Amino acid sequence: MQTKGRSRHFIYTDWILIETQFDPEQLHSKETVFTIGNGYLGTRGSFEEGYPHTLPATFINGVYDDVPVVYTELVNCPDWLPLIVIVNGDRFRLDQGEILSYDRQLDLRQGLLTRTLRWRSPNGNTIDISFERFASLADPHVLALRCHLTPIDFEGLIEVQASINGYPENQGLNHWEELDQGKTNQGIWLQRRTRNSRIELGMAVKMTILGTEASLQVNTAPGYPTLSTTFFAKAQQTVTVEKLVTVFTSREIEAPVPAAQEKLAHLPDYATLLKANEQAWNEVWQQSDILIEGDSTATFAVRYNLFQLLIAAPRDDERVSIPAKTLSGFGYRGHIFWDTEIFMQPLFLFTQPAIARNLLSYRWHTLPGARRKAVHYGYRGAMFAWESADTGDEVTPRWAIGSDFYGEDVRIWCRDREIHINADIPYAVWNYWQATGDDDWMQKCGAEIILDAALFWGSRAEFNSERDWYEIQGVIGADEYHELVHNNAFTNRMAQWHLEKAIAVYDWLADKFPEQASELEQKLKLTPEERSHWQDIIAKILFFYDPSTGLIEQFEGFFQLEDINLADYEPRDRSMQPILGIDKTNKSQVLKQPDVLMLLYLMRESADFPYNEKALQTNWDYYAPRTDITYGSSLGPAVQAILASDLGKSTVAYEQFMRALMVDLEDNRGNTNDGIHGASAGGIWQAVIFGFGGIQLTENGPVANPHLPPGWTRLKFKLHWRGKWHDFDLHEELGTNEQGSRGAGEQGSGGEVGVSFSPLPLSSSVTERLALSEVERSRSAAPLPLVPDAPSPMPNIQGFIFDLDGVLTDTAELHYLAWQKLADEEGIPFNWEANEALRGVSRRASLMLIIGDRPYSEAQIEEMMERKNRYYVELIQNMTPQDLLPGAIALLDELRQADIKIGIGSASKNARPVLQRLGIVDKVDAIADGYSVQEPKPAPDLFLYAAKQLGIEPGQSVVVEDAAAGVEAALAAGMWAVGLGPVERVGAAHIVLPSLQGIKWADLREQLSNISRQKH
């Protein structure tokens, strides 16, 4: 798999992904990244107006169709997006005319995708165009799109066409038969049916024009019904177009077209639908959100990965699951793998258990397909498909067709040999039962899954009478680089574990639900002899394990394979298999993902054999260096992050976590165009909760033993366990992580379930926290002197730490405008004089100063902070390098030439995007921003954090500030302080300057030396 580094033109805020520039080379991967959905369907982020070679797609969960003989795939449904805008005869599209400004945003809080452009047509007419769309989470059958059109420098005719494209393709193949289409009083409709699976679809559309007088026309061209309007547009006058869409299929209702028409006729307006969607998302995020402080990239990217799973998860349908590429792309043809149960399901299990139950119920409904596969291969019971679709029958393609027309096709053996999925699914069923206590579902569905799949192992394990053990030969483990192995450690131990749990479930069912047990015995032909056979396999299955060291051999003969040093092949831009070739890879100790480490992870929670700390360390040391972690399996990095965290390898843990976290946002494997890496997204949740949060499940509920990465100051989330909610708010202080867990369901009783304290291994992050605590104690012990002492007799300056606002740039006006807009909306008096009091103050502290003693709830305060930030982020999009203050660039360049390190110490959570807009990110060595520490200025924490990131001592640091609170923070940190502005504001600094204009490093160094000599 090939990839190349390239800028993604992204800015991340707490909740919003912002694309600042359109890059046609990234068209397909960005279509994936900007996917929206609601669990019923997903729509890729294609442009409403179209673009050459685009890959628009809307996938409805469960709508599969066959390509005869070749494969089954999730069907690309009719496209509801088309909205054509024609300006004085010129059709708006990004490959024509001139893009004067461009901004695309995905707001995770409400699943809202917006795009704002200023476009100049080939004929010279300039127009502002903005699109926004969402798939309603409040009503899965409703889709909505809105477009604002504002002519800038012309008057003339604008035509708008809103259509349904009834000719969608799955990369060259149209799965739909034309049935009918037409118009109603409300708009237009389309009826289609899949060619082989005979699933009928009905879609209806209406369009509303606001801001001008306009009439609608209907064009019912075959397969492309269209509503259109033409109006005379005036300069600076905004016209709004709203397109509402309803969709049903025969999977959920007998007559989809009348259902779509009926719903469309009774829909409220766009704004009402958007509000309902926002409320539905609020409820979901209340359960599933993860708050991280101290790492701005992780703050957004974790939420982004959760969002992509949430929009693919079936809420009202237990006959579907989540495809490996979610509902976002054509990769793997929409098939279901073990990815869902092992990687994605835990997020839902502990935050939205009803969805977790749906995912597992899909496996129960598809048991007939698994039984058919077992019969085909000559085994008993249920043999789950490696790739599954609607029926549970095997849909893994038998051959992979290469790009070389004369080359040989490659046989795909996973369908025949990768059988560990038969234990992976029961593993997820067991964990669901343990976490929820859902006995009703277990006796109706779960027990049958576990017992029927166990029958397969009873017939698949082979008894070696000479050696008196059982073997499982001819398999592929989770490490798919080795395609025919015997006694794979992962497969054998998971089969053994499965049989252990099958006996336990058998006994439980017979005791608690004897009638159900009797029915299953007859249905599955379960006998006492079969149970004895399972016990015999459990006792005698082969597993290569050295008890003296804990080292596990991945499969029989693995240690005899050729050892490959992966470092010899660096740098590279693809996986090891195409470099070595399939045959040599099979004969080498190079891994796509390490079976043994994956096994240890799955046994980790219950501490089942072979998991223990010694075994983990031994096997990590052996298998991690042999793993193709960069271009092998995308499933590996998140799991390795958890295990590295267990081992105290914080740097490695965070590195692997980030590799998984950014796999789609940065397209670091070069295949995001195929769809979201769903398993990696699920692994991210597990890495945060089980790895960094250190969550362990006990009979009394979940407890935390955190290992927060360096820089993370707070980790907050909630978990649902056996009917109760448990809130966790983890902080790292004084080398100790504190966690509290509260059962939200126990109102009135306090509900305290457990509080534990666990020391961290001594690391740089802990040392940093200790240093901060010592400064805090000294700061509280004595007041600051009126005249600051110099930090050292002779200054050895190694670094400069610059505040951002008022020092390198002036965003005070932008902050003022954002606060002013918020204050006006809330009816609070606010002016420029009041804004001056906010200089250098954190967002929360600023808001508290503005609202004074007005009564607001914490939720309202959080919402207002987010709203102000949203306004501010919108404003900073117009910033350029021209907004740098005079003298800033000259001083930065001079300091870099003198090998002085440069850091940013800004209370703003938007420091990074501002630096990007200013074009000076490459001139900065470290950034300490509003995410980095808990205590804002005048506490010294922010500057101490920046110095730590720069690798210098406080006394070697110069802080440049324009606010009194910032100067006070610098002095409290024991740093040199340069104040910019009037003496009455920054007079406590060692040096006071009007601005940076004309300032030279040599002059500053001389002044600091003079001050030092005078003091000493």
Side-chain angles (χ1 to χ4, degrees):
M1 189 165 301
Q2 297 186 350
T3 183
K4 60 180 179 179
R6 54 183 179 262
S7 170
R8 302 287 279 168
H9 308 295
F10 282 157
I11 293 174
Y12 311 122
T13 72
D14 287 5
W15 286 96
I16 301 174
L17 173 65
I18 304 170
E19 183 188 26
T20 60
Q21 182 177 325
F22 172 58
D23 183 349
E25 291 188 5
Q26 299 176 20
L27 178 70
H28 294 156
S29 67
K30 294 289 186 66
E31 286 177 331
T32 295
V33 168
F34 285 103
T35 294
I36 60 170
N38 57 16
Y40 173 70
L41 57 75
T43 296
R44 283 169 59 83
S46 304
F47 295 146
E48 291 83 353
E49 72 278 6
Y51 195 86
H53 311 299
T54 187
L55 289 175
T58 291
F59 299 105
I60 297 178
N61 216 340
V63 177
Y64 289 93
D65 195 41
D66 297 332
V67 179
V69 182
V70 187
Y71 47 72
T72 297
E73 66 184 357
L74 197 62
V75 173
N76 186 7
C77 295
D79 186 7
W80 62 278
L81 290 180
L83 191 76
I84 306 303
V85 178
I86 302 173
V87 179
N88 274 339
D90 286 331
R91 177 174 171 175
F92 162 66
R93 48 192 299 167
L94 295 187
D95 60 329
Q96 297 178 5
E98 183 181 358
I99 305 172
L100 302 179
S101 67
Y102 176 94
D103 177 281
R104 179 160 53 163
Q105 300 189 11
L106 176 61
D107 186 341
L108 306 181
R109 288 166 303 189
Q110 51 185 328
L112 184 67
L113 179 62
T114 62
R115 183 165 51 110
T116 304
L117 309 103
R118 175 163 290 186
W119 180 72
R120 182 171 293 143
S121 72
N123 285 322
N125 296 317
T126 306
I127 186 171
D128 283 348
I129 304 178
S130 69
F131 298 93
E132 65 178 45
R133 67 182 186 239
F134 64 93
S136 176
L137 198 68
D139 186 333
H141 301 284
V142 174
L143 307 162
L145 189 161
R146 180 161 64 182
C147 176
H148 300 296
L149 303 168
T150 308
I152 301 301
D153 55 9
F154 72 95
E155 294 185 347
L157 292 178
I158 294 180
E159 181 180 356
V160 178
Q161 302 172 2
S163 309
I164 308 172
N165 180 2
Y167 299 104
E169 292 186 348
N170 279 62
Q171 298 172 309
L173 180 69
N174 183 355
H175 282 279
W176 297 96
E177 292 180 346
E178 301 176 30
L179 292 183
D180 203 358
Q181 64 184 61
K183 63 180 180 177
T184 65
N185 292 334
Q186 293 295 320
I188 53 176
W189 56 272
L190 181 78
Q191 183 182 25
R192 286 288 186 267
R193 183 173 60 209
T194 55
R195 298 181 185 278
N196 295 287
S197 56
R198 316 304 284 172
I199 298 173
E200 187 178 318
L201 175 143
M203 187 176 285
V205 176
K206 68 178 178 180
M207 180 169 70
T208 305
I209 312 298
L210 305 171
T212 189
E213 293 294 327
S215 60
L216 295 181
Q217 294 80 44
V218 177
N219 185 325
T220 55
Y224 209 91
T226 300
L227 293 166
S228 62
T229 186
T230 302
F231 56 88
F232 185 78
K234 299 178 181 179
Q236 303 300 321
Q237 176 183 326
T238 299
V239 174
T240 299
V241 180
E242 296 179 351
K243 179 182 181 181
L244 302 183
V245 182
T246 55
V247 59
F248 287 86
T249 77
S250 56
R251 290 188 70 258
E252 64 269 6
I253 197 163
E254 186 175 348
V257 170
Q261 294 172 341
E262 176 72 12
K263 182 169 283 291
L264 187 72
H266 294 92
L267 281 184
D269 62 9
Y270 181 97
T272 303
L273 292 171
L274 180 60
K275 186 65 177 177
N277 172 69
E278 183 179 4
Q279 291 173 348
W281 270 109
N282 283 340
E283 294 176 10
V284 170
W285 284 119
Q286 283 291 323
Q287 297 174 326
S288 300
D289 186 30
I290 293 176
L291 172 65
I292 297 169
E293 293 182 357
D295 187 338
S296 56
T297 299
T299 300
F300 171 80
V302 167
R303 284 171 170 155
Y304 175 82
N305 280 273
L306 301 187
F307 172 82
Q308 288 296 340
L309 292 181
L310 291 167
I311 64 174
R315 284 166 172 75
D316 304 310
D317 192 344
E318 61 178 27
R319 297 167 302 156
V320 297
S321 187
I322 305 177
K325 293 294 185 181
T326 66
L327 300 176
S328 62
F330 297 94
Y332 294 126
R333 307 192 183 279
H335 295 170
I336 317 299
F337 292 72
W338 73 311
D339 302 32
T340 308
E341 284 77 21
I342 298 301
F343 293 90
M344 305 183 210
Q345 194 216 25
L347 158 66
F348 302 103
L349 176 57
F350 292 103
T351 66
Q352 301 195 44
I355 292 178
R357 184 178 63 242
N358 285 344
L359 297 176
L360 293 173
S361 294
Y362 161 80
R363 294 297 189 178
W364 182 74
H365 283 288
T366 55
L367 273 173
R371 290 171 182 139
R372 287 190 288 270
K373 181 179 178 180
V375 170
H376 173 79
Y377 282 93
Y379 300 118
R380 293 189 61 203
M383 182 183 182
F384 283 105
W386 177 243
E387 298 183 32
S388 178
D390 51 345
T391 66
D393 290 283
E394 183 62 73
V395 292
T396 305
R398 192 176 296 275
W399 297 94
I401 302 174
S403 57
D404 182 356
F405 184 77
Y406 295 102
E408 293 185 4
D409 296 338
V410 177
R411 178 72 157 85
I412 300 175
W413 290 105
C414 298
R415 62 185 291 138
D416 310 280
R417 301 172 181 168
E418 197 155 358
I419 59 175
H420 62 80
I421 191 171
N422 232 60
D424 303 332
I425 292 169
Y427 179 90
V429 170
W430 177 269
N431 284 344
Y432 170 79
W433 187 34
Q434 298 305 298
T436 63
D438 188 351
D439 289 354
D440 182 63
W441 182 87
M442 190 65 181
Q443 60 97 5
K444 290 179 180 177
C445 303
E448 186 171 359
I449 294 173
I450 288 178
L451 295 173
D452 208 9
L455 285 169
F456 166 79
W457 293 120
S459 60
R460 182 64 171 83
E462 306 163 33
F463 185 63
N464 185 325
S465 57
E466 292 183 8
R467 302 201 175 188
D468 194 29
W469 63 38
Y470 284 89
E471 302 180 351
I472 301 178
Q473 297 192 358
V475 303
I476 298 174
D479 167 33
E480 294 171 337
Y481 278 175
H482 298 88
E483 296 183 325
L484 181 62
V485 303
H486 305 315
N487 295 307
N488 170 254
F490 184 88
T491 305
N492 284 22
R493 175 61 184 117
M494 288 298 291
Q496 182 190 47
W497 178 95
H498 179 187
L499 293 175
E500 292 168 351
K501 297 303 183 277
I503 291 174
V505 168
Y506 199 165
D507 292 344
W508 168 81
L509 200 64
D511 180 48
K512 300 294 185 182
F513 301 95
E515 290 185 7
Q516 180 69 12
S518 179
E519 290 177 9
L520 273 183
E521 285 175 344
Q522 295 177 27
K523 181 178 183 179
L524 305 181
K525 297 180 173 58
L526 283 169
T527 64
E529 290 76 19
E530 186 70 41
R531 175 195 170 104
S532 298
H533 182 47
W534 292 351
Q535 289 174 323
D536 201 35
I537 295 172
I538 292 169
K540 297 178 180 178
I541 196 163
L542 188 56
F543 189 81
F544 295 95
Y545 174 78
D546 183 347
S548 64
T549 63
L551 184 63
I552 302 164
E553 188 170 22
Q554 178 166 298
F555 54 79
E556 187 175 353
F558 180 82
F559 291 152
Q560 281 70 56
L561 300 182
E562 180 185 355
D563 209 354
I564 295 291
N565 184 3
L566 294 180
D568 294 342
Y569 295 85
E570 299 294 348
R572 56 190 173 93
D573 60 359
R574 50 188 171 155
S575 64
M576 289 301 298
Q577 192 175 61
I579 292 174
L580 298 175
I582 292 176
D583 186 58
K584 185 172 182 179
T585 303
N586 267 312
K587 297 175 181 177
S588 304
Q589 291 189 47
V590 58
L591 312 175
K592 184 176 181 180
Q593 67 174 348
D595 284 11
V596 171
L597 296 183
M598 188 69 208
L599 173 64
L600 290 171
Y601 173 61
L602 294 186
M603 297 295 112
R604 166 183 180 270
E605 186 55 52
S606 55
D608 280 349
F609 175 82
Y611 182 85
N612 58 60
E613 290 185 14
K614 179 180 179 182
L616 176 57
Q617 183 68 66
T618 298
N619 287 284
W620 174 278
D621 291 343
Y622 192 87
Y623 287 105
R626 292 166 171 82
T627 301
D628 182 6
I629 199 67
T630 50
Y631 297 110
S633 172
S634 63
L635 282 58
V639 171
Q640 289 212 16
I642 299 171
L643 298 179
S645 187
D646 286 352
L647 292 169
K649 300 177 181 292
S650 59
T651 300
V652 174
Y654 187 74
E655 176 185 331
Q656 298 303 340
F657 168 72
M658 292 302 293
R659 191 186 304 280
L661 186 67
M662 307 306 290
V663 65
D664 291 312
L665 288 170
E666 293 184 352
D667 194 13
N668 57 33
R669 289 174 178 264
N671 61 354
T672 296
N673 55 292
D674 292 333
I676 292 294
H677 291 77
S680 183
I684 284 296
W685 185 89
Q686 295 183 60
V688 173
I689 303 303
F690 299 129
F692 301 145
I695 288 297
Q696 295 177 327
L697 305 172
T698 73
E699 283 300 315
N700 295 322
V703 296
N705 176 27
H707 313 283
L708 301 191
W712 286 26
T713 56
R714 187 184 187 193
L715 174 59
K716 184 180 180 183
F717 55 89
K718 63 169 55 177
L719 300 176
H720 193 268
W721 173 258
R722 296 182 181 174
K724 298 176 183 176
W725 284 103
H726 302 266
D727 292 332
F728 292 86
D729 197 347
L730 311 180
H731 302 266
E732 187 176 88
E733 296 175 351
L734 302 177
T736 302
N737 285 295
E738 178 181 343
Q739 73 88 17
S741 169
R742 182 176 297 279
E746 300 177 295
Q747 296 178 1
S749 65
E752 201 69 30
V753 180
V755 177
S756 68
F757 299 86
S758 175
L760 282 171
L762 191 59
S763 64
S764 59
S765 62
V766 176
T767 306
E768 176 188 327
R769 296 293 178 268
L770 290 169
L772 292 181
S773 69
E774 290 163 5
V775 172
E776 186 70 26
R777 286 197 297 271
S778 66
R779 186 161 61 87
S780 61
L784 284 171
L786 294 177
V787 180
D789 288 333
S792 63
M794 289 299 293
N796 175 25
I797 304 303
Q798 298 293 317
F800 267 63
I801 302 170
F802 291 90
D803 185 21
L804 191 54
D805 299 343
V807 174
L808 298 179
T809 188
D810 190 359
T811 59
E813 175 71 17
L814 304 185
H815 280 293
Y816 170 67
L817 292 173
W819 283 125
Q820 181 70 69
K821 184 175 182 180
L822 176 72
D824 289 347
E825 290 171 347
E826 296 296 322
I828 301 174
F830 187 74
N831 54 31
W832 183 260
E833 182 179 352
N835 187 72
E836 279 294 289
L838 310 183
R839 188 181 291 269
V841 179
S842 70
R843 192 187 308 168
R844 173 177 281 275
S846 296
L847 179 60
M848 302 314 290
L849 287 172
I850 292 172
I851 65 178
D853 58 0
R854 294 174 178 83
Y856 285 99
S857 68
E858 178 60 28
Q860 290 173 314
I861 290 172
E862 291 283 345
E863 187 278 328
M864 284 192 288
M865 287 194 295
E866 272 297 322
R867 198 181 342 150
K868 182 267 177 182
N869 187 57
R870 189 162 66 249
Y871 299 152
Y872 176 68
V873 169
E874 291 170 357
L875 290 167
I876 65 176
Q877 299 314 302
N878 297 319
M879 294 184 72
T880 71
Q882 300 299 317
D883 291 302
L884 282 162
L885 290 174
I889 280 289
L891 181 57
L892 291 176
D893 288 343
E894 186 182 0
L895 291 172
R896 291 191 74 81
Q897 290 173 7
D899 291 328
I900 300 295
K901 295 180 178 179
I902 297 173
I904 298 297
S906 169
S908 172
K909 289 188 174 182
N910 294 295
R912 291 175 189 269
V914 169
L915 291 169
Q916 289 173 329
R917 302 300 295 180
L918 294 174
I920 58 172
V921 172
D922 60 342
K923 299 181 185 294
V924 174
D925 300 302
I927 300 174
D929 59 14
Y931 295 103
S932 300
V933 296
Q934 288 181 279
E935 292 298 322
K937 306 170 190 176
D941 302 19
L942 189 71
F943 294 139
L944 287 169
Y945 180 89
K948 183 72 176 179
Q949 297 298 106
L950 292 173
I952 60 178
E953 297 298 322
Q956 299 173 326
S957 310
V958 177
V959 171
V960 185
E961 260 285 359
D962 75 319
V967 171
E968 183 181 343
L971 299 177
M975 299 177 177
W976 297 90
V978 174
L980 301 184
V983 173
E984 55 268 24
R985 191 172 73 215
V986 295
H990 296 99
I991 299 174
V992 177
L993 302 170
S995 71
L996 293 180
Q997 189 166 13
I999 300 303
K1000 303 290 186 183
W1001 162 227
D1003 296 334
L1004 288 175
R1005 182 173 54 194
E1006 183 176 353
Q1007 290 187 58
L1008 294 171
S1009 296
N1010 289 337
I1011 295 171
S1012 181
R1013 284 193 292 269
Q1014 292 170 11
K1015 294 295 180 183
H1016 298 274

